[in-house]
Amino acid sequence: MQVVLRDNDQGPFLSKVLAYGQAEALLDEAQLAQIKAKAVLMSLKLADKFYNKYKMHLLEHAAFDVIGVASLGLMALSERDLNRALTLLMTPDGIVKSFQKGWSMLSTVSKYKISGKSVYGDIDNILLDRVSSPSDADEWMGWQAYQEALLDFNRQESVACLLKQFYSQASYDPLDCLGLESVFAEVVLYRMFFGPVKIKQDLKQRLAHIELQDSWFTVEHFELQVKNTLAELPTDLAETISVDLGKYFSPGLLRTLTFAKSYREQLLKGVSPERLERLEYKEGLSGLLGWPIYIVM
């Protein structure tokens, strides 16, 4: 594997660190040769496992994978500090540890990825392809790709945690495409209506049997409900949800509550499920934050 040394801030982090070591006379030719040799061996092993080491273009692909994944891990382990990164690379297994770290990071955020069966086992094909890079690339977007995948993973993991903690049926299927904001909104509404009980698909039926308090119909009331619900969650989960909530979250819940009042009035009149469904669609389900979407039979 040819590791080209360039001082390019936009290129892969591994190349940037090696170029820095050479420029500052902190990395001699023998040390650089050791790192290269280890990287070549890693590329051969990766090609043997996932590609075909006897086809040169696939071996080159494996080398790009090693550069990208090692860059990712090296950035994380060194907190993007060039001196710390170089010190790590100069240890006997520095590049191996960097690659292992990067691979672990990609494996974690690939948990909910849906892009077909991956040839890389537990790592998403598309994500690894975005991280993979030649050493002399003018632009490397691997870190940004990982951050995007991490954000999506945190959201989906948060949805799974909310389902587990608050819902009677806690199974989570990524194919359901549940939004974190909408799931949390349903939690806030349901618990405001019925107290600290497990959430079931019965809100629409039970709505007729509760009294909607006038004090609920304010943005300030919903902000308090949001604060109280977040307080029940682990700190990391609460922070993830807080970041995801838009400034119109509480006003959106107030709008949904106003609709719930109209829906309840129709329930009390004994209108048919078909008319209730038409009422929902007329209002626009996508605009009813936290309103459960299921069919009342």
Side-chain angles (χ1 to χ4, degrees), residues 140-273:
W140 179 63
M141 302 298 292
W143 183 258
Q144 291 89 329
Y146 167 73
Q147 291 298 321
E148 292 170 9
L150 178 61
L151 182 61
D152 184 59
F153 166 77
N154 285 337
R155 286 171 176 161
Q156 295 193 67
E157 188 80 345
S158 297
V159 169
C161 290
L162 286 175
L163 294 178
K164 182 177 180 180
Q165 180 160 342
F166 293 116
Y167 287 72
S168 59
Q169 295 182 341
S171 60
Y172 173 61
D173 186 347
L175 286 172
D176 291 336
C177 299
L178 300 175
L180 175 56
E181 188 179 62
S182 61
V183 172
F184 183 70
E186 185 176 356
V187 171
V188 173
L189 279 175
Y190 197 97
R191 290 166 69 82
M192 186 181 74
F193 288 153
F194 310 119
V197 295
K198 290 289 185 178
I199 298 172
K200 301 178 181 179
Q201 289 192 346
D202 61 0
L203 184 148
K204 298 175 186 179
Q205 297 94 325
R206 294 179 64 185
L207 194 57
H209 306 294
I210 67 169
E211 291 292 333
L212 301 180
Q213 305 298 318
D214 291 340
S215 60
W216 293 355
F217 288 81
T218 66
V219 170
E220 291 74 19
H221 177 76
F222 278 109
E223 289 176 346
L224 180 60
Q225 296 302 307
V226 168
K227 181 179 179 180
N228 291 340
T229 306
L230 288 174
E232 298 183 42
L233 300 171
T235 302
D236 290 346
L237 176 56
E239 289 178 353
T240 298
I241 294 173
S242 296
V243 170
D244 202 65
L245 300 183
K247 63 180 181 179
Y248 299 111
F249 184 76
S250 292
L253 285 175
L254 178 56
R255 177 174 180 265
T256 302
L257 180 61
T258 302
F259 170 80
K261 183 178 181 180
S262 300
Y263 189 92
R264 180 176 180 274
E265 291 171 353
Q266 296 302 309
L267 276 175
L268 294 175
K269 291 179 182 178
V271 302
S272 66

Side-chain angles (χ1 to χ4, degrees), residues 64-119:
F64 294 169
D65 291 344
V66 169
I67 292 168
V69 175
S71 292
L72 189 67
L74 189 60
M75 290 181 78
L77 291 171
S78 67
E79 297 182 344
R80 308 176 75 164
D81 181 88
L82 292 176
N83 283 307
R84 289 176 59 183
L86 183 61
T87 299
L88 175 60
L89 281 181
M90 292 169 65
T91 61
D93 292 322
I95 192 169
V96 175
K97 291 179 180 178
S98 298
F99 178 84
Q100 290 173 338
K101 175 64 175 179
W103 193 266
S104 175
M105 292 163 66
L106 294 177
S107 176
T108 296
V109 299
S110 294
K111 180 178 179 180
Y112 298 109
K113 291 290 182 182
I114 306 168
S115 56
K117 186 177 180 180
S118 174
V119 297

